[in-house]
Amino acid sequence: MWQKAFLSFISILYSLTSCFSQELTLDDLEKSFVLNNQSLFIEKFNISKAEAYRMQAKVWNNPSFELSEVNLWTNQTVEQGIKQQYAIELQQLIETAGKRKSRIQIKAFEKKDAEYAYLELLFQLKSELHKAFYTARALYQQEEVNKQIEALYRRQTEKFKKHVDAQHISKADYLRIQAALLSLQRENLSLHHQQLEIVHQIAVLTQIPQLTFDSLNLQATSESNLEHNHLSSIDQKLANNIQLLRKENNIEIARANWSLEHANRIPNLQLIINNDRGGNIMRNFVGVGLSFDIPLFDRNKQHIKAARLELNQQEAHAKQVDFELRAELSKLINQISETEKTLLLWSESLKEDQSAILEIYQRNLMAGQISLIQFIDYIESFKDARTAYIELHETYQHQLADLKLLIGPDTPIYEN
């Protein structure tokens, strides 16, 4: 036992030290999330409790034992040769009509529901982690764009300051470029606050202490590598949806409860074995008896009706959820397709041309071929275009995360 605990401690310590020795990729964050997320850890207790209830349902009812008619002394009315009297009775409940089997079945379905609840939470939090990571990547990319423009503004501000001191240009132009720089710095401050918020969200999900924005590996491998895996049928895509699987399991629970209520119409049997020593009819006899309720007034009709209504309600609810998920999936696939078409309009060459034009505008500004207003206007247009692309790609990644959450795992969770 202590060897396993020691190895677990070493593995956790190694993972924590490696977190700060290298940049964390999305795969690294997922591993830490699965191992350390406390919400998942807490949800697992429900599975263990459900398994305990399932095992308890398999246990037979205890027999009941009764000792009675024990006399502590004799009197003059006792028959000759008898000095002690007592009675022993043993009773065992025997359930009829498969009630025990139905209860075991219900507990098995309840355990499966606990497992589905765990998986549902797992995929929801994993989707949140993916979205947070891609938001962090968008913030990083926006920061890189702002750094490029800020460096450009700083160079121009220094040059304009020298020209103002030499009275080659008006001070109004210097103040205009300085105001643009200050506005960009204020935007960078807001961007930094957003980075702190997203790092906090990722740290809570992964339980990585002292996580920083710089410790994340946010370099995109290929932004133009779009996914085209949305062509299968909706029925095929929703086959492993956790929410639908859980609704189907709820129907099975309701059906098993209905079966149990039907079985409750039939009374249980009480097997009785007793021994009476020194009785007044027959000495030291052993008797066998059987008792059961007579279903004269209570035929359990209303409980059966309520169980049937619960089954109907669960079936209707499952149909409603199925319709909503189909509509959501269809909408999401259309949104992803439209986003992909828009992203394909952007190319690496176009972005390189924009950067090249940016340098040309800078030279033309210093040569006096364009005005400061024209220069700043192009800078803002350049920044807006880059920001639009970054936000669109972030939206695309969020849509893919929503699609993966809706589809569920790649392989079936339970196979009949």
Side-chain angles (χ1 to χ4, degrees):
M1 179 65 71
W2 67 270
Q3 292 94 336
K4 293 182 179 179
F6 177 74
L7 291 175
S8 300
F9 173 75
I10 291 298
S11 62
I12 294 174
L13 183 63
Y14 174 78
S15 63
L16 290 178
T17 54
S18 62
C19 287
F20 299 101
S21 61
Q22 60 183 359
E23 291 184 338
L24 296 171
T25 63
L26 181 57
D27 289 338
D28 297 327
L29 296 175
E30 280 189 11
K31 291 176 183 177
S32 181
F33 159 71
V34 173
L35 291 174
N36 304 320
N37 187 273
Q38 290 300 308
S39 297
L40 295 179
F41 182 71
I42 294 171
E43 191 66 31
K44 280 186 177 180
F45 282 112
N46 290 331
I47 300 177
S48 300
K49 289 192 295 183
E51 173 63 13
Y53 290 139
R54 188 184 72 87
M55 296 301 296
Q56 181 64 37
K58 291 184 175 183
V59 179
W60 289 89
N61 292 307
N62 290 326
S64 61
F65 174 80
E66 180 181 349
L67 176 64
S68 62
E69 300 182 15
V70 178
N71 65 311
L72 301 179
W73 59 87
T74 60
N75 54 38
Q76 296 178 355
T77 63
V78 69
E79 296 182 15
Q80 187 175 3
I82 297 178
K83 300 196 183 234
Q84 192 72 38
Q85 177 185 344
Y86 60 84
I88 297 176
E89 183 174 273
L90 190 66
Q91 297 186 15
Q92 176 63 52
L93 177 66
I94 300 177
E95 293 185 295
T96 59
K99 297 185 183 72
R100 177 173 173 272
K101 181 180 179 180
S102 295
R103 276 203 307 275
I104 295 174
Q105 191 177 33
I106 290 172
K107 294 304 178 183
F109 285 129
E110 288 178 352
K111 180 193 174 183
K112 188 180 289 188
D113 182 71
E115 293 170 346
Y116 282 143
Y118 170 79
L119 291 174
E120 192 172 25
L121 178 64
L122 171 65
F123 289 120
Q124 286 176 351
L125 295 181
K126 186 178 178 179
S127 179
E128 291 180 13
L129 177 62
H130 280 222
K131 289 182 178 181
F133 180 82
Y134 287 116
T135 297
R137 174 178 290 179
L139 293 174
Y140 167 78
Q141 293 171 338
Q142 184 64 54
E143 183 182 42
E144 292 298 306
V145 173
N146 287 7
K147 284 181 179 179
Q148 181 183 5
I149 297 176
E150 183 177 5
L152 183 61
Y153 276 159
R154 285 186 182 278
R155 290 196 301 269
Q156 296 303 322
T157 300
E158 293 173 358
K159 292 177 181 179
F160 272 53
K161 180 67 168 60
K162 293 178 182 179
H163 286 295
V164 167
D165 294 339
Q167 296 183 348
H168 293 160
I169 61 174
S170 66
K171 191 173 182 181
D173 287 341
Y174 168 71
L175 295 177
R176 180 69 182 86
I177 192 72
Q178 191 178 43
L181 175 61
L182 293 175
S183 177
L184 186 62
Q185 289 174 341
R186 184 182 62 181
E187 183 179 333
N188 289 339
L189 179 62
S190 175
L191 199 64
H192 179 66
H193 290 166
Q194 295 178 52
Q195 292 175 351
L196 293 177
E197 288 290 336
I198 208 66
V199 165
H200 170 72
Q201 183 180 352
I202 295 175
V204 170
L205 289 170
T206 59
Q207 297 291 300
I208 298 178
Q210 300 177 353
L211 182 70
T212 63
F213 192 81
D214 294 334
S215 64
L216 301 176
N217 184 359
L218 301 172
Q219 296 288 343
T221 54
S222 177
E223 292 183 353
S224 60
N225 184 20
L226 305 181
E227 298 187 17
H228 300 277
N229 58 348
H230 334 300
L231 302 179
S232 58
S233 66
I234 290 181
D235 287 337
Q236 182 181 353
K237 284 186 170 298
L238 291 178
N240 296 327
N241 180 272
I242 301 298
Q243 194 174 358
L244 279 182
L245 291 175
R246 195 173 182 186
K247 291 302 177 184
E248 292 173 2
N249 188 67
N250 288 341
I251 292 175
E252 295 302 324
I253 293 176
R255 183 173 287 113
N257 274 316
W258 182 45
S259 176
L260 178 59
E261 293 299 341
H262 263 282
N264 284 334
R265 295 177 305 143
I266 302 174
N268 294 325
L269 303 179
Q270 194 78 247
L271 180 63
I272 304 171
I273 301 176
N274 51 32
N275 172 247
D276 192 352
R277 184 182 186 278
N280 56 4
I281 299 177
M282 181 184 297
R283 298 181 182 178
N284 301 325
F285 78 93
V286 176
V288 178
L290 189 67
S291 71
F292 55 88
D293 295 332
I294 300 176
L296 183 61
F297 304 109
D298 184 6
R299 298 280 295 174
N300 207 41
K301 290 183 179 180
Q302 299 307 314
H303 284 172
I304 295 173
K305 180 180 179 181
R308 181 63 213 185
L309 292 173
E310 174 66 20
L311 177 58
N312 294 340
Q313 185 181 37
Q314 290 296 335
E315 290 174 341
H317 195 197
K319 290 180 180 179
Q320 177 65 20
V321 171
D322 180 73
F323 177 81
E324 292 175 356
L325 291 177
R326 286 171 181 272
E328 178 67 21
L329 181 58
S330 179
K331 181 193 73 173
L332 191 56
I333 290 176
N334 290 332
Q335 288 177 340
I336 291 175
S337 298
E338 292 298 324
T339 306
E340 285 179 347
K341 292 177 183 178
T342 305
L343 284 173
L344 289 174
L345 297 176
W346 297 74
S347 64
E348 294 296 329
S349 60
L350 176 62
K351 289 188 288 184
E352 291 174 359
D353 290 342
Q354 287 179 334
S355 299
I357 295 175
L358 190 65
E359 295 298 328
I360 294 175
Y361 265 74
Q362 183 180 2
R363 291 196 298 268
N364 290 341
L365 174 65
M366 299 312 301
Q369 297 178 357
I370 61 172
S371 65
L372 177 62
I373 298 299
Q374 290 176 315
F375 174 74
I376 293 178
D377 180 68
Y378 178 77
I379 294 294
E380 292 299 318
S381 299
F382 169 81
K383 184 167 73 70
D384 290 343
R386 286 294 186 91
T387 300
Y389 175 78
I390 291 170
E391 291 178 351
L392 186 62
H393 202 276
E394 177 191 2
T395 299
Y396 176 69
Q397 294 295 343
H398 284 199
Q399 289 171 344
L400 289 180
D402 289 334
L403 180 64
K404 292 177 182 178
L405 176 62
L406 200 58
I407 292 175
D410 296 331
T411 57
I413 301 174
Y414 293 102
E415 296 182 356
N416 296 327

